[in-house]
Amino acid sequence: DADVTQTPRNRITKTGKRIMLECSQTKGHDRMYWYRQDPGLGLRLIYYSFDVKDINKGEISDGYSVSRQAQAKFSLSLESAIPNQTALYFCATSDQPIGQGATQYFGPGTRLTVL
Amino acid sequence: GQQLNQSPQSMFIQEGEDVSMNCTSSSIFNTWLWYKQDPGEGPVLLIALYKAGELTSNGRLTAQFGITRKDSFLNISASIPSDVGIYFCAGLPPNFGNEKLTFGTGTRLTIIP
């Protein structure tokens, strides 16, 4: 079984709808991240969490919210989806700060289309 | 937000050829990372670099952290079919702590039969 899972893998929704993307991990890591990938732009950090009580904004948090329900679960919500939120979304985990030798483990991604 | 300049955007090579790609930035970084992404999957870390001038290998892959701390390169020797994919560089700028990675735009590697 995969260490980092994301559900759903694909989702098509309409403008104005509320959407939740879910991430679960079995690696026992405290740190979890949500990224967005757009063609030609690389990955950009949306939110990250050091533990269930510590949530931090990333580079592009506007229009998104997150919930860390447990060490193993980190959800990303779009309260009112808009077309420019169409993208590939990745969840990742690590056990240490990235700059101190940690490896980030990425999930398989969720492809979201907002019509 | 800041983006890293990664080049080339795409490469078409024959099996067995060596590959070279690089990332440059106008700002300095404390850490450089190189990832590979296969279709339908998330990025996988290939090499991590933590000191200016550092040269690190992982099998046929070699990466270097530039002396100026504003660039990094990745070389792949004797390419094989499983090297096909998109390669991303990523850096940690010093003023954003240890979590806010900045990613390059990717280099798509294709092997021509």
Side-chain angles (χ1 to χ4, degrees):
Chain A
D1 287 338
D3 294 320
V4 184
T5 57
Q6 292 183 234
T7 57
R9 291 296 311 276
N10 289 282
R11 181 71 185 269
I12 300 173
T13 190
K14 294 182 179 179
T15 298
K17 293 290 187 182
R18 184 179 187 274
I19 295 297
M20 179 181 284
L21 308 183
E22 300 191 355
C23 176
S24 294
Q25 53 116 345
T26 58
K27 300 191 76 65
H29 291 168
D30 287 328
R31 295 165 184 264
M32 297 187 74
Y33 310 78
W34 275 105
Y35 288 92
R36 166 180 173 157
Q37 185 177 35
D38 295 276
L41 288 182
L43 280 78
R44 291 181 291 168
L45 183 64
I46 307 173
Y47 271 96
Y48 60 104
S49 169
F50 292 154
D51 63 39
V52 294
K53 298 179 181 178
D54 190 345
I55 306 286
N56 303 279
K57 291 183 177 181
E59 181 186 352
I60 52 163
S61 58
D62 288 348
Y64 301 95
S65 63
V66 291
S67 173
R68 186 80 183 267
Q69 302 95 323
Q71 186 202 41
K73 296 184 182 297
F74 193 33
S75 301
L76 176 72
S77 294
L78 288 68
E79 296 301 325
S80 180
I82 56 177
N84 76 1
Q85 290 178 313
T86 293
L88 191 53
Y89 289 85
F90 287 102
C91 174
T93 75
S94 72
D95 61 348
Q96 296 180 54
I98 299 168
Q100 295 181 18
T103 296
Q104 272 189 321
Y105 295 89
F106 285 82
T110 294
R111 185 170 296 281
L112 177 66
T113 302
V114 183
L115 302 176
Chain B
Q2 183 180 10
Q3 294 283 315
L4 294 175
N5 298 312
Q6 187 170 347
S7 65
Q9 279 190 314
S10 59
M11 303 183 73
F12 295 85
I13 63 168
Q14 292 188 319
E15 185 176 347
E17 287 188 31
D18 296 343
V19 170
S20 185
M21 60 190 78
N22 68 79
C23 270
T24 60
S25 171
S26 57
S27 307
I28 61 173
F29 288 89
N30 283 350
T31 297
W32 282 96
L33 306 172
W34 284 92
Y35 292 87
K36 178 175 183 273
Q37 185 177 20
D38 292 325
E41 298 182 16
V44 174
L45 183 66
L46 299 173
I47 294 179
L49 303 157
Y50 301 104
K51 277 176 57 175
E54 181 180 356
L55 183 71
T56 297
S57 294
N58 178 6
R60 294 176 296 105
L61 278 61
T62 302
Q64 185 158 29
F65 192 142
I67 293 288
T68 65
R69 296 169 64 191
K70 293 182 179 181
D71 61 346
S72 178
F73 72 75
L74 174 71
N75 287 342
I76 305 173
S77 63
S79 58
I80 60 177
S82 62
D83 291 334
V84 167
I86 303 177
Y87 291 80
F88 291 97
C89 62
L92 271 178
N95 53 323
F96 285 125
N98 281 338
E99 304 302 323
K100 295 186 181 180
L101 280 174
T102 298
F103 279 80
T105 51
T107 295
R108 183 181 295 273
L109 180 63
T110 302
I111 293 184
I112 306 168

PDB file of all heavy atoms in Angstrom, chain B residues 69-104:
ATOM      1  N   ARG B  69      25.683  30.143  -4.785  1.00  0.00           N
ATOM      2  CA  ARG B  69      24.434  29.744  -4.127  1.00  0.00           C
ATOM      3  C   ARG B  69      23.200  30.148  -4.924  1.00  0.00           C
ATOM      4  O   ARG B  69      22.084  30.057  -4.424  1.00  0.00           O
ATOM      5  CB  ARG B  69      24.344  30.303  -2.700  1.00  0.00           C
ATOM      6  CG  ARG B  69      25.422  29.766  -1.779  1.00  0.00           C
ATOM      7  CD  ARG B  69      25.477  30.521  -0.467  1.00  0.00           C
ATOM      8  NE  ARG B  69      24.257  30.353   0.300  1.00  0.00           N
ATOM      9  CZ  ARG B  69      23.966  31.084   1.378  1.00  0.00           C
ATOM     10  NH1 ARG B  69      24.789  32.032   1.787  1.00  0.00           N
ATOM     11  NH2 ARG B  69      22.846  30.875   2.042  1.00  0.00           N
ATOM     12  N   LYS B  70      23.404  30.566  -6.194  1.00  0.00           N
ATOM     13  CA  LYS B  70      22.283  30.993  -7.026  1.00  0.00           C
ATOM     14  C   LYS B  70      22.001  30.013  -8.156  1.00  0.00           C
ATOM     15  O   LYS B  70      21.150  30.276  -8.998  1.00  0.00           O
ATOM     16  CB  LYS B  70      22.560  32.378  -7.615  1.00  0.00           C
ATOM     17  CG  LYS B  70      22.611  33.487  -6.573  1.00  0.00           C
ATOM     18  CD  LYS B  70      22.841  34.836  -7.243  1.00  0.00           C
ATOM     19  CE  LYS B  70      22.877  35.953  -6.209  1.00  0.00           C
ATOM     20  NZ  LYS B  70      23.081  37.282  -6.858  1.00  0.00           N
ATOM     21  N   ASP B  71      22.725  28.895  -8.192  1.00  0.00           N
ATOM     22  CA  ASP B  71      22.457  27.954  -9.263  1.00  0.00           C
ATOM     23  C   ASP B  71      22.838  26.532  -8.859  1.00  0.00           C
ATOM     24  O   ASP B  71      23.555  26.299  -7.883  1.00  0.00           O
ATOM     25  CB  ASP B  71      23.191  28.363 -10.537  1.00  0.00           C
ATOM     26  CG  ASP B  71      24.700  28.391 -10.380  1.00  0.00           C
ATOM     27  OD1 ASP B  71      25.183  28.360  -9.237  1.00  0.00           O
ATOM     28  OD2 ASP B  71      25.396  28.444 -11.411  1.00  0.00           O
ATOM     29  N   SER B  72      22.306  25.595  -9.641  1.00  0.00           N
ATOM     30  CA  SER B  72      22.597  24.186  -9.436  1.00  0.00           C
ATOM     31  C   SER B  72      22.427  23.470 -10.762  1.00  0.00           C
ATOM     32  O   SER B  72      21.643  23.900 -11.613  1.00  0.00           O
ATOM     33  CB  SER B  72      21.649  23.581  -8.393  1.00  0.00           C
ATOM     34  OG  SER B  72      21.892  22.201  -8.219  1.00  0.00           O
ATOM     35  N   PHE B  73      23.189  22.393 -10.961  1.00  0.00           N
ATOM     36  CA  PHE B  73      22.986  21.600 -12.165  1.00  0.00           C
ATOM     37  C   PHE B  73      22.815  20.126 -11.808  1.00  0.00           C
ATOM     38  O   PHE B  73      23.244  19.676 -10.751  1.00  0.00           O
ATOM     39  CB  PHE B  73      24.122  21.800 -13.176  1.00  0.00           C
ATOM     40  CG  PHE B  73      25.431  21.162 -12.779  1.00  0.00           C
ATOM     41  CD1 PHE B  73      25.620  19.783 -12.878  1.00  0.00           C
ATOM     42  CD2 PHE B  73      26.485  21.936 -12.339  1.00  0.00           C
ATOM     43  CE1 PHE B  73      26.830  19.202 -12.524  1.00  0.00           C
ATOM     44  CE2 PHE B  73      27.695  21.360 -11.989  1.00  0.00           C
ATOM     45  CZ  PHE B  73      27.859  19.991 -12.075  1.00  0.00           C
ATOM     46  N   LEU B  74      22.172  19.414 -12.736  1.00  0.00           N
ATOM     47  CA  LEU B  74      21.994  17.967 -12.609  1.00  0.00           C
ATOM     48  C   LEU B  74      22.481  17.320 -13.897  1.00  0.00           C
ATOM     49  O   LEU B  74      22.081  17.742 -14.981  1.00  0.00           O
ATOM     50  CB  LEU B  74      20.519  17.615 -12.377  1.00  0.00           C
ATOM     51  CG  LEU B  74      20.193  16.114 -12.361  1.00  0.00           C
ATOM     52  CD1 LEU B  74      20.753  15.459 -11.104  1.00  0.00           C
ATOM     53  CD2 LEU B  74      18.681  15.888 -12.446  1.00  0.00           C
ATOM     54  N   ASN B  75      23.332  16.320 -13.782  1.00  0.00           N
ATOM     55  CA  ASN B  75      23.784  15.537 -14.923  1.00  0.00           C
ATOM     56  C   ASN B  75      23.323  14.103 -14.773  1.00  0.00           C
ATOM     57  O   ASN B  75      23.336  13.547 -13.672  1.00  0.00           O
ATOM     58  CB  ASN B  75      25.315  15.556 -15.023  1.00  0.00           C
ATOM     59  CG  ASN B  75      25.847  16.888 -15.496  1.00  0.00           C
ATOM     60  OD1 ASN B  75      25.127  17.696 -16.064  1.00  0.00           O
ATOM     61  ND2 ASN B  75      27.112  17.136 -15.228  1.00  0.00           N
ATOM     62  N   ILE B  76      22.916  13.521 -15.899  1.00  0.00           N
ATOM     63  CA  ILE B  76      22.568  12.106 -15.951  1.00  0.00           C
ATOM     64  C   ILE B  76      23.480  11.471 -16.986  1.00  0.00           C
ATOM     65  O   ILE B  76      23.528  11.918 -18.141  1.00  0.00           O
ATOM     66  CB  ILE B  76      21.104  11.884 -16.358  1.00  0.00           C
ATOM     67  CG1 ILE B  76      20.157  12.665 -15.436  1.00  0.00           C
ATOM     68  CG2 ILE B  76      20.763  10.385 -16.337  1.00  0.00           C
ATOM     69  CD1 ILE B  76      18.705  12.628 -15.888  1.00  0.00           C
ATOM     70  N   SER B  77      24.203  10.463 -16.603  1.00  0.00           N
ATOM     71  CA  SER B  77      25.111   9.819 -17.553  1.00  0.00           C
ATOM     72  C   SER B  77      24.467   8.562 -18.121  1.00  0.00           C
ATOM     73  O   SER B  77      23.691   7.875 -17.446  1.00  0.00           O
ATOM     74  CB  SER B  77      26.433   9.467 -16.877  1.00  0.00           C
ATOM     75  OG  SER B  77      26.218   8.541 -15.841  1.00  0.00           O
ATOM     76  N   ALA B  78      24.794   8.286 -19.377  1.00  0.00           N
ATOM     77  CA  ALA B  78      24.355   7.052 -20.052  1.00  0.00           C
ATOM     78  C   ALA B  78      22.862   6.803 -19.842  1.00  0.00           C
ATOM     79  O   ALA B  78      22.471   5.810 -19.224  1.00  0.00           O
ATOM     80  CB  ALA B  78      25.186   5.866 -19.564  1.00  0.00           C
ATOM     81  N   SER B  79      22.048   7.686 -20.367  1.00  0.00           N
ATOM     82  CA  SER B  79      20.600   7.633 -20.121  1.00  0.00           C
ATOM     83  C   SER B  79      20.003   6.292 -20.552  1.00  0.00           C
ATOM     84  O   SER B  79      20.442   5.657 -21.518  1.00  0.00           O
ATOM     85  CB  SER B  79      19.904   8.772 -20.858  1.00  0.00           C
ATOM     86  OG  SER B  79      20.171   8.701 -22.234  1.00  0.00           O
ATOM     87  N   ILE B  80      18.969   5.889 -19.809  1.00  0.00           N
ATOM     88  CA  ILE B  80      18.228   4.657 -20.088  1.00  0.00           C
ATOM     89  C   ILE B  80      16.739   5.000 -20.157  1.00  0.00           C
ATOM     90  O   ILE B  80      16.333   6.081 -19.704  1.00  0.00           O
ATOM     91  CB  ILE B  80      18.502   3.584 -19.004  1.00  0.00           C
ATOM     92  CG1 ILE B  80      18.074   4.094 -17.623  1.00  0.00           C
ATOM     93  CG2 ILE B  80      19.967   3.186 -19.011  1.00  0.00           C
ATOM     94  CD1 ILE B  80      18.254   3.063 -16.515  1.00  0.00           C
ATOM     95  N   PRO B  81      15.912   4.141 -20.709  1.00  0.00           N
ATOM     96  CA  PRO B  81      14.490   4.470 -20.893  1.00  0.00           C
ATOM     97  C   PRO B  81      13.755   4.903 -19.628  1.00  0.00           C
ATOM     98  O   PRO B  81      12.887   5.777 -19.681  1.00  0.00           O
ATOM     99  CB  PRO B  81      13.910   3.160 -21.452  1.00  0.00           C
ATOM    100  CG  PRO B  81      15.046   2.569 -22.218  1.00  0.00           C
ATOM    101  CD  PRO B  81      16.272   2.886 -21.392  1.00  0.00           C
ATOM    102  N   SER B  82      14.114   4.362 -18.486  1.00  0.00           N
ATOM    103  CA  SER B  82      13.402   4.729 -17.258  1.00  0.00           C
ATOM    104  C   SER B  82      13.772   6.125 -16.754  1.00  0.00           C
ATOM    105  O   SER B  82      13.173   6.614 -15.790  1.00  0.00           O
ATOM    106  CB  SER B  82      13.671   3.702 -16.159  1.00  0.00           C
ATOM    107  OG  SER B  82      15.048   3.663 -15.849  1.00  0.00           O
ATOM    108  N   ASP B  83      14.713   6.791 -17.423  1.00  0.00           N
ATOM    109  CA  ASP B  83      15.036   8.178 -17.068  1.00  0.00           C
ATOM    110  C   ASP B  83      13.994   9.161 -17.604  1.00  0.00           C
ATOM    111  O   ASP B  83      13.987  10.325 -17.204  1.00  0.00           O
ATOM    112  CB  ASP B  83      16.412   8.577 -17.617  1.00  0.00           C
ATOM    113  CG  ASP B  83      17.553   7.858 -16.927  1.00  0.00           C
ATOM    114  OD1 ASP B  83      17.384   7.450 -15.756  1.00  0.00           O
ATOM    115  OD2 ASP B  83      18.617   7.702 -17.556  1.00  0.00           O
ATOM    116  N   VAL B  84      13.137   8.696 -18.490  1.00  0.00           N
ATOM    117  CA  VAL B  84      12.097   9.566 -19.052  1.00  0.00           C
ATOM    118  C   VAL B  84      11.213  10.116 -17.934  1.00  0.00           C
ATOM    119  O   VAL B  84      10.817   9.387 -17.032  1.00  0.00           O
ATOM    120  CB  VAL B  84      11.258   8.788 -20.078  1.00  0.00           C
ATOM    121  CG1 VAL B  84       9.987   9.553 -20.433  1.00  0.00           C
ATOM    122  CG2 VAL B  84      12.070   8.502 -21.319  1.00  0.00           C
ATOM    123  N   GLY B  85      10.909  11.409 -18.010  1.00  0.00           N
ATOM    124  CA  GLY B  85      10.058  12.039 -17.007  1.00  0.00           C
ATOM    125  C   GLY B  85      10.332  13.526 -16.952  1.00  0.00           C
ATOM    126  O   GLY B  85      10.999  14.081 -17.821  1.00  0.00           O
ATOM    127  N   ILE B  86       9.819  14.159 -15.919  1.00  0.00           N
ATOM    128  CA  ILE B  86      10.044  15.591 -15.727  1.00  0.00           C
ATOM    129  C   ILE B  86      10.922  15.767 -14.498  1.00  0.00           C
ATOM    130  O   ILE B  86      10.638  15.229 -13.428  1.00  0.00           O
ATOM    131  CB  ILE B  86       8.727  16.359 -15.554  1.00  0.00           C
ATOM    132  CG1 ILE B  86       7.807  16.134 -16.747  1.00  0.00           C
ATOM    133  CG2 ILE B  86       9.011  17.852 -15.390  1.00  0.00           C
ATOM    134  CD1 ILE B  86       6.454  16.801 -16.607  1.00  0.00           C
ATOM    135  N   TYR B  87      11.974  16.543 -14.647  1.00  0.00           N
ATOM    136  CA  TYR B  87      12.917  16.790 -13.569  1.00  0.00           C
ATOM    137  C   TYR B  87      12.717  18.216 -13.055  1.00  0.00           C
ATOM    138  O   TYR B  87      12.637  19.159 -13.842  1.00  0.00           O
ATOM    139  CB  TYR B  87      14.356  16.602 -14.061  1.00  0.00           C
ATOM    140  CG  TYR B  87      14.664  15.164 -14.377  1.00  0.00           C
ATOM    141  CD1 TYR B  87      14.244  14.598 -15.587  1.00  0.00           C
ATOM    142  CD2 TYR B  87      15.342  14.356 -13.475  1.00  0.00           C
ATOM    143  CE1 TYR B  87      14.495  13.270 -15.871  1.00  0.00           C
ATOM    144  CE2 TYR B  87      15.607  13.028 -13.750  1.00  0.00           C
ATOM    145  CZ  TYR B  87      15.167  12.493 -14.949  1.00  0.00           C
ATOM    146  OH  TYR B  87      15.410  11.171 -15.233  1.00  0.00           O
ATOM    147  N   PHE B  88      12.615  18.342 -11.738  1.00  0.00           N
ATOM    148  CA  PHE B  88      12.431  19.648 -11.110  1.00  0.00           C
ATOM    149  C   PHE B  88      13.578  19.937 -10.155  1.00  0.00           C
ATOM    150  O   PHE B  88      13.992  19.072  -9.385  1.00  0.00           O
ATOM    151  CB  PHE B  88      11.134  19.688 -10.291  1.00  0.00           C
ATOM    152  CG  PHE B  88       9.878  19.652 -11.096  1.00  0.00           C
ATOM    153  CD1 PHE B  88       9.194  18.468 -11.303  1.00  0.00           C
ATOM    154  CD2 PHE B  88       9.364  20.818 -11.652  1.00  0.00           C
ATOM    155  CE1 PHE B  88       8.020  18.438 -12.046  1.00  0.00           C
ATOM    156  CE2 PHE B  88       8.193  20.793 -12.393  1.00  0.00           C
ATOM    157  CZ  PHE B  88       7.526  19.600 -12.595  1.00  0.00           C
ATOM    158  N   CYS B  89      14.038  21.180 -10.185  1.00  0.00           N
ATOM    159  CA  CYS B  89      14.902  21.648  -9.112  1.00  0.00           C
ATOM    160  C   CYS B  89      14.024  22.372  -8.101  1.00  0.00           C
ATOM    161  O   CYS B  89      12.913  22.817  -8.421  1.00  0.00           O
ATOM    162  CB  CYS B  89      15.977  22.587  -9.637  1.00  0.00           C
ATOM    163  SG  CYS B  89      15.323  24.097 -10.393  1.00  0.00           S
ATOM    164  N   ALA B  90      14.516  22.497  -6.892  1.00  0.00           N
ATOM    165  CA  ALA B  90      13.805  23.241  -5.847  1.00  0.00           C
ATOM    166  C   ALA B  90      14.837  23.795  -4.881  1.00  0.00           C
ATOM    167  O   ALA B  90      15.860  23.161  -4.618  1.00  0.00           O
ATOM    168  CB  ALA B  90      12.801  22.354  -5.117  1.00  0.00           C
ATOM    169  N   GLY B  91      14.561  24.982  -4.360  1.00  0.00           N
ATOM    170  CA  GLY B  91      15.505  25.598  -3.435  1.00  0.00           C
ATOM    171  C   GLY B  91      14.808  26.154  -2.220  1.00  0.00           C
ATOM    172  O   GLY B  91      13.635  26.512  -2.257  1.00  0.00           O
ATOM    173  N   LEU B  92      15.566  26.194  -1.124  1.00  0.00           N
ATOM    174  CA  LEU B  92      15.083  26.817   0.107  1.00  0.00           C
ATOM    175  C   LEU B  92      15.787  28.149   0.274  1.00  0.00           C
ATOM    176  O   LEU B  92      16.993  28.176   0.531  1.00  0.00           O
ATOM    177  CB  LEU B  92      15.374  25.933   1.321  1.00  0.00           C
ATOM    178  CG  LEU B  92      14.349  24.899   1.709  1.00  0.00           C
ATOM    179  CD1 LEU B  92      14.848  24.096   2.897  1.00  0.00           C
ATOM    180  CD2 LEU B  92      13.018  25.545   2.035  1.00  0.00           C
ATOM    181  N   PRO B  93      15.048  29.265   0.136  1.00  0.00           N
ATOM    182  CA  PRO B  93      15.679  30.574   0.356  1.00  0.00           C
ATOM    183  C   PRO B  93      15.922  30.791   1.841  1.00  0.00           C
ATOM    184  O   PRO B  93      15.132  30.331   2.670  1.00  0.00           O
ATOM    185  CB  PRO B  93      14.639  31.559  -0.192  1.00  0.00           C
ATOM    186  CG  PRO B  93      13.345  30.827  -0.177  1.00  0.00           C
ATOM    187  CD  PRO B  93      13.657  29.368  -0.290  1.00  0.00           C
ATOM    188  N   PRO B  94      16.998  31.487   2.211  1.00  0.00           N
ATOM    189  CA  PRO B  94      17.339  31.623   3.627  1.00  0.00           C
ATOM    190  C   PRO B  94      16.320  32.391   4.443  1.00  0.00           C
ATOM    191  O   PRO B  94      16.119  32.104   5.614  1.00  0.00           O
ATOM    192  CB  PRO B  94      18.696  32.340   3.600  1.00  0.00           C
ATOM    193  CG  PRO B  94      18.780  32.959   2.251  1.00  0.00           C
ATOM    194  CD  PRO B  94      18.003  32.094   1.339  1.00  0.00           C
ATOM    195  N   ASN B  95      15.619  33.329   3.825  1.00  0.00           N
ATOM    196  CA  ASN B  95      14.724  34.168   4.621  1.00  0.00           C
ATOM    197  C   ASN B  95      13.342  33.557   4.821  1.00  0.00           C
ATOM    198  O   ASN B  95      12.486  34.160   5.407  1.00  0.00           O
ATOM    199  CB  ASN B  95      14.585  35.546   3.978  1.00  0.00           C
ATOM    200  CG  ASN B  95      14.185  35.458   2.520  1.00  0.00           C
ATOM    201  OD1 ASN B  95      14.630  34.577   1.817  1.00  0.00           O
ATOM    202  ND2 ASN B  95      13.377  36.390   2.077  1.00  0.00           N
ATOM    203  N   PHE B  96      13.066  32.353   4.310  1.00  0.00           N
ATOM    204  CA  PHE B  96      11.765  31.736   4.482  1.00  0.00           C
ATOM    205  C   PHE B  96      11.818  30.517   5.375  1.00  0.00           C
ATOM    206  O   PHE B  96      10.912  29.708   5.380  1.00  0.00           O
ATOM    207  CB  PHE B  96      11.164  31.339   3.140  1.00  0.00           C
ATOM    208  CG  PHE B  96      10.647  32.502   2.347  1.00  0.00           C
ATOM    209  CD1 PHE B  96      11.077  32.730   1.060  1.00  0.00           C
ATOM    210  CD2 PHE B  96       9.714  33.373   2.890  1.00  0.00           C
ATOM    211  CE1 PHE B  96      10.598  33.796   0.319  1.00  0.00           C
ATOM    212  CE2 PHE B  96       9.237  34.449   2.160  1.00  0.00           C
ATOM    213  CZ  PHE B  96       9.677  34.660   0.866  1.00  0.00           C
ATOM    214  N   GLY B  97      12.831  30.354   6.139  1.00  0.00           N
ATOM    215  CA  GLY B  97      12.901  29.213   7.029  1.00  0.00           C
ATOM    216  C   GLY B  97      13.154  27.934   6.274  1.00  0.00           C
ATOM    217  O   GLY B  97      13.675  27.928   5.153  1.00  0.00           O
ATOM    218  N   ASN B  98      12.760  26.836   6.840  1.00  0.00           N
ATOM    219  CA  ASN B  98      13.117  25.535   6.290  1.00  0.00           C
ATOM    220  C   ASN B  98      11.980  24.806   5.614  1.00  0.00           C
ATOM    221  O   ASN B  98      12.062  23.617   5.395  1.00  0.00           O
ATOM    222  CB  ASN B  98      13.658  24.644   7.398  1.00  0.00           C
ATOM    223  CG  ASN B  98      15.094  24.980   7.716  1.00  0.00           C
ATOM    224  OD1 ASN B  98      15.787  25.553   6.898  1.00  0.00           O
ATOM    225  ND2 ASN B  98      15.525  24.646   8.902  1.00  0.00           N
ATOM    226  N   GLU B  99      10.890  25.454   5.283  1.00  0.00           N
ATOM    227  CA  GLU B  99       9.749  24.724   4.742  1.00  0.00           C
ATOM    228  C   GLU B  99       9.249  25.227   3.395  1.00  0.00           C
ATOM    229  O   GLU B  99       8.594  24.505   2.667  1.00  0.00           O
ATOM    230  CB  GLU B  99       8.587  24.757   5.749  1.00  0.00           C
ATOM    231  CG  GLU B  99       8.936  24.226   7.118  1.00  0.00           C
ATOM    232  CD  GLU B  99       9.436  22.788   7.088  1.00  0.00           C
ATOM    233  OE1 GLU B  99       8.923  21.993   6.280  1.00  0.00           O
ATOM    234  OE2 GLU B  99      10.352  22.455   7.857  1.00  0.00           O
ATOM    235  N   LYS B 100       9.495  26.476   3.058  1.00  0.00           N
ATOM    236  CA  LYS B 100       8.870  27.049   1.859  1.00  0.00           C
ATOM    237  C   LYS B 100       9.783  26.890   0.649  1.00  0.00           C
ATOM    238  O   LYS B 100      10.500  27.798   0.257  1.00  0.00           O
ATOM    239  CB  LYS B 100       8.508  28.506   2.094  1.00  0.00           C
ATOM    240  CG  LYS B 100       7.435  28.687   3.164  1.00  0.00           C
ATOM    241  CD  LYS B 100       6.992  30.129   3.287  1.00  0.00           C
ATOM    242  CE  LYS B 100       5.938  30.283   4.369  1.00  0.00           C
ATOM    243  NZ  LYS B 100       5.476  31.682   4.520  1.00  0.00           N
ATOM    244  N   LEU B 101       9.706  25.709   0.049  1.00  0.00           N
ATOM    245  CA  LEU B 101      10.478  25.429  -1.152  1.00  0.00           C
ATOM    246  C   LEU B 101       9.988  26.261  -2.337  1.00  0.00           C
ATOM    247  O   LEU B 101       8.792  26.465  -2.502  1.00  0.00           O
ATOM    248  CB  LEU B 101      10.343  23.960  -1.535  1.00  0.00           C
ATOM    249  CG  LEU B 101      11.187  22.928  -0.800  1.00  0.00           C
ATOM    250  CD1 LEU B 101      10.781  21.534  -1.244  1.00  0.00           C
ATOM    251  CD2 LEU B 101      12.660  23.159  -1.056  1.00  0.00           C
ATOM    252  N   THR B 102      10.946  26.696  -3.156  1.00  0.00           N
ATOM    253  CA  THR B 102      10.635  27.314  -4.440  1.00  0.00           C
ATOM    254  C   THR B 102      11.039  26.324  -5.519  1.00  0.00           C
ATOM    255  O   THR B 102      12.172  25.848  -5.525  1.00  0.00           O
ATOM    256  CB  THR B 102      11.404  28.625  -4.626  1.00  0.00           C
ATOM    257  OG1 THR B 102      11.022  29.545  -3.615  1.00  0.00           O
ATOM    258  CG2 THR B 102      11.118  29.217  -5.997  1.00  0.00           C
ATOM    259  N   PHE B 103      10.096  25.991  -6.421  1.00  0.00           N
ATOM    260  CA  PHE B 103      10.348  24.984  -7.439  1.00  0.00           C
ATOM    261  C   PHE B 103      10.661  25.623  -8.794  1.00  0.00           C
ATOM    262  O   PHE B 103      10.145  26.694  -9.136  1.00  0.00           O
ATOM    263  CB  PHE B 103       9.135  24.071  -7.612  1.00  0.00           C
ATOM    264  CG  PHE B 103       9.051  22.984  -6.579  1.00  0.00           C
ATOM    265  CD1 PHE B 103       8.561  23.249  -5.313  1.00  0.00           C
ATOM    266  CD2 PHE B 103       9.478  21.707  -6.876  1.00  0.00           C
ATOM    267  CE1 PHE B 103       8.486  22.253  -4.355  1.00  0.00           C
ATOM    268  CE2 PHE B 103       9.397  20.690  -5.927  1.00  0.00           C
ATOM    269  CZ  PHE B 103       8.904  20.969  -4.662  1.00  0.00           C
ATOM    270  N   GLY B 104      11.484  24.939  -9.571  1.00  0.00           N
ATOM    271  CA  GLY B 104      11.701  25.310 -10.954  1.00  0.00           C
ATOM    272  C   GLY B 104      10.532  24.859 -11.812  1.00  0.00           C
ATOM    273  O   GLY B 104       9.624  24.162 -11.346  1.00  0.00           O
TER     274      GLY B 104
END
